[in-house]
Amino acid sequence: MIGRKKKRAAKVGIFGVAHPVYWGQFPGLKEKLGEYHRIFQTMVQEQEVLLVDLGIVDTSQLSYLTLEIIRSESLDLVFCNMLTYATSSVFAPIIRDLEVPVVLTALQPLRRLDCASASTRQQLENDNICSVPEFTCTAIRMGKKVQDVIIGVLEGDPQAEAGIREWCEIAKVLHDLKGARFGLMGHVLEAMYDMHADPAELSSVFGIHIPLLEIDDVCRIFQEVPQEEAEGKRSLILECFDTPDPVSDPLTRKLTEEDLQQAARTAAALDRFVEEYDLTGLAYYYNGQPLSETQRIVSSFIVGNSLLNAQGIPMCGEFDIKTCIAMFLMDRLDMGGSFAEFHPFDFEEDYIMVGHDGPHHIAIAEGKPVLRSLKQYHGKPGSGASVEFKLKEGPITMLGITQGYGGKIRFVIGEGFSRKGPIPPTGNTNTRGFFEPTTREFIKKWVMEGPTHHYALGIGHRGETIAKIAEVLNIEYKIIRG
């Protein structure tokens, strides 16, 4: 029903390495290794990335030429395909001057050699691992880093295939970080010290730009929205959400036509605002004068934000630009990325409510999400339509982007499980989060790492993948384990 505004993409380079002395000694070996390299090409292309094949690099002279091509192509990731033994002279010029992540792939054509009938030629065709330590040593001696080594069998190896897929997913994150624009609008909710962030520091760490935007421009665009556009958005909202009767919370009521119209027009305005300012995401907070049009518009962002989140444009309240970036990282890994915090424990069943008021990534909802009218937003000004849903059942990952002493950016990463069960009918999103060894012990470890009280919440266990992104970006991280 709701597709991405922009397809996930990445530009990935591959080059094979080999030892040229073998060519004269073993006729046909180069051609055979070329066949293996083409199989690897197909494996990468299947990950829906733009592939740049740089061929087989077997001399230092050719490696310098290859480096220049890599630079000109603006790649997001490079796979060095270890086809057989190769001297590190073919790798050193590339790893020394390359500023994109490099992953070595040592994928052996045979699962095993038949030692009774093996030959030197057969060994060389399967010598993929032989020079890997030489390459990693050379990188370290040059003050550089090989990001990963994928070891396995060339065909029919799910673990090796998963490694390639994971790094192509990471490349899609890195691709969209380049030139990304995460807007900040308004101000920090008074007294929330964990929300403060330095745009220059975030720009330095993530390679993004943070435009500082005006509430008045949203209000201007709101007035410009044609009625038919608002009506189209209203129809989409009713397709995407259920609107049940209230249950136990006296602050909630069935979605009113007034709140629906307001949410629809604001959603249309937000689409135009994102387009006009070329935004990758937005974090905002603004009180406004009581009962003013500004307050009415800003307090009706929630539904439009949730629609944009589902389209790959992370939107979050409370001026939390750090969590907005965390939501973006999760979205580009195709695991959702909702705005979340911890709510009350259930010490009887050993879980904690995980959720938030405000925008969420409805692509990871369990069933059809709900809209309720709230007579009052708790802790914030205004009232209006609010989103409520449960997260899909199964593994979940949390990413908190925080800052340590001196302002250094850190990732706090945790994994748990979302399980079925009732949630409070408060017009806010919640899910039942279970963690190991016990939820109480896990949460204590989490809070002792000094995260912000918000984090991005996604489906699947992807902590190790997020940690690899942190390593690429030279960000300190901590994975909370049971």
Side-chain angles (χ1 to χ4, degrees):
M1 192 178 300
I2 300 177
R4 290 180 177 275
K5 282 184 174 287
K6 174 185 172 185
K7 185 179 178 181
R8 295 189 308 144
K11 198 172 186 182
V12 175
I14 66 172
F15 67 95
V17 292
H19 189 36
V21 176
Y22 295 154
W23 307 149
Q25 296 175 334
F26 299 93
L29 177 61
K30 186 174 184 179
E31 290 72 21
K32 190 65 176 177
L33 297 180
E35 292 177 18
Y36 296 146
H37 188 63
R38 285 189 288 277
I39 293 172
F40 180 67
Q41 284 180 8
T42 301
M43 294 171 71
V44 176
Q45 283 177 316
E46 287 174 349
Q47 305 311 313
E48 297 184 334
V49 297
L50 179 60
L51 178 68
V52 177
D53 179 32
L54 301 152
I56 296 177
V57 179
D58 57 3
T59 67
S60 61
Q61 296 96 320
L62 187 54
S63 69
Y64 282 104
L65 295 174
T66 302
L67 173 64
E68 292 307 311
I69 296 171
I70 292 173
R71 284 170 164 169
S72 69
E73 290 285 354
S74 299
L75 301 177
D76 304 301
L77 173 72
V78 172
F79 286 114
C80 174
N81 190 17
M82 314 296 291
L83 292 167
T84 186
Y85 174 76
T87 66
S88 49
S89 66
V90 303
F91 183 61
I94 295 173
I95 194 66
R96 177 184 179 275
D97 290 337
L98 207 57
E99 296 300 326
V100 298
V102 177
V103 174
L104 306 184
T105 55
L107 302 180
Q108 191 171 296
L110 296 179
R111 295 195 70 85
R112 62 186 299 188
L113 296 184
D114 181 354
C115 294
S117 61
S119 64
T120 301
R121 164 69 179 259
Q122 190 181 68
Q123 176 181 314
L124 295 179
E125 286 186 20
N126 291 274
D127 245 350
N128 311 81
I129 196 65
C130 186
S131 56
V132 168
E134 182 176 340
F135 278 36
T136 56
C137 174
T138 298
I140 291 170
R141 292 189 68 181
M142 292 185 162
K144 306 291 284 195
K145 182 180 181 180
V146 169
Q147 291 296 150
D148 200 2
V149 180
I150 299 173
I151 299 171
V153 183
L154 183 59
E155 296 181 281
D157 185 340
Q159 188 173 341
E161 291 166 4
I164 293 166
R165 182 167 55 253
E166 178 182 47
W167 275 104
C168 287
E169 292 283 289
I170 291 171
K172 292 171 186 176
V173 174
L174 301 176
H175 179 83
D176 277 6
L177 270 178
K178 294 175 182 175
R181 290 168 53 84
F182 292 89
L184 267 178
M185 185 169 66
H187 58 79
V188 174
L189 179 59
E190 177 61 25
M192 290 168 56
Y193 283 13
D194 61 334
M195 293 298 95
H196 290 269
D198 175 4
E201 173 70 12
L202 292 171
S203 296
S204 173
V205 170
F206 292 102
I208 60 177
H209 178 61
I210 300 178
L212 304 178
L213 305 170
E214 299 291 341
I215 298 289
D216 289 347
D217 285 316
V218 179
C219 296
R220 167 182 58 81
I221 293 171
F222 180 89
Q223 298 299 336
E224 296 170 355
V225 171
Q227 184 59 32
E228 62 270 21
E229 200 169 308
E231 285 298 317
K233 195 65 75 172
R234 178 185 181 279
S235 297
L236 177 64
I237 290 169
L238 290 175
E239 283 185 73
C240 292
F241 295 91
D242 278 334
T243 59
D245 290 327
V247 189
S248 60
D249 189 341
L251 285 181
T252 67
R253 55 183 173 179
K254 186 175 177 64
L255 181 68
T256 67
E257 181 60 30
E258 180 184 4
D259 286 345
L260 174 60
Q261 294 281 7
Q262 177 68 36
R265 191 174 190 85
T266 301
L270 285 172
D271 279 2
R272 288 181 163 224
F273 184 71
V274 164
E275 184 80 19
E276 182 171 325
Y277 289 93
D278 190 24
L279 297 181
T280 305
L282 176 70
Y284 70 95
Y285 181 79
Y286 197 72
N287 286 317
Q289 290 295 318
L291 305 179
S292 67
E293 182 181 61
T294 301
Q295 186 184 86
R296 180 166 55 88
I297 293 171
V298 174
S299 65
S300 62
F301 275 23
I302 294 171
V303 180
N305 285 350
S306 293
L307 295 174
L308 283 165
N309 284 346
Q311 296 174 83
I313 308 292
M315 308 281 282
C316 68
E318 300 185 24
F319 207 68
D320 192 352
I321 185 70
K322 297 191 291 292
T323 299
C324 188
I325 295 169
M327 292 163 64
F328 162 87
L329 296 178
M330 283 195 168
D331 177 83
R332 294 311 190 269
L333 289 174
D334 207 26
M335 55 186 295
S338 278
F339 192 48
E341 64 187 11
F342 293 121
H343 288 165
F345 277 98
D346 186 315
F347 289 108
E348 296 293 327
E349 295 186 44
D350 188 37
Y351 68 83
I352 191 168
M353 289 291 180
V354 179
H356 204 279
D357 62 348
H360 287 277
H361 204 305
I362 61 177
I364 59 173
E366 181 70 55
K368 202 169 185 180
V370 163
L371 281 186
R372 300 187 192 275
S373 283
L374 298 187
K375 301 172 188 176
Q376 172 65 59
Y377 295 137
H378 70 271
K380 305 177 184 71
S383 61
S386 189
V387 175
E388 174 185 306
F389 71 68
K390 302 175 189 176
L391 201 68
K392 288 180 178 177
E393 188 177 27
I396 57 174
T397 299
M398 305 182 303
L399 169 60
I401 299 182
T402 186
Q403 291 175 270
Y405 183 73
K408 190 173 182 180
I409 299 294
R410 296 178 64 242
F411 283 5
V412 184
I413 304 164
E415 294 176 340
F417 296 88
S418 168
R419 293 180 183 159
K420 286 183 179 178
I423 62 170
T426 57
N428 295 171
T429 290
N430 268 301
T431 195
R432 293 176 169 216
F434 292 77
F435 300 91
E436 296 176 344
T438 68
T439 298
R440 185 197 313 234
E441 291 171 275
F442 176 91
I443 298 300
K444 180 174 179 178
K445 290 179 182 178
W446 176 274
V447 301
M448 291 304 292
E449 287 298 320
T452 66
H453 77 280
H454 300 143
Y455 48 84
L457 177 66
I459 59 174
H461 279 168
R462 306 292 294 279
E464 294 293 343
T465 301
I466 293 170
K468 288 174 182 173
I469 294 172
E471 290 172 357
V472 169
L473 298 173
N474 294 312
I475 294 173
E476 180 186 334
Y477 66 89
K478 175 70 173 182
I479 301 179
I480 309 299
R481 303 190 186 276

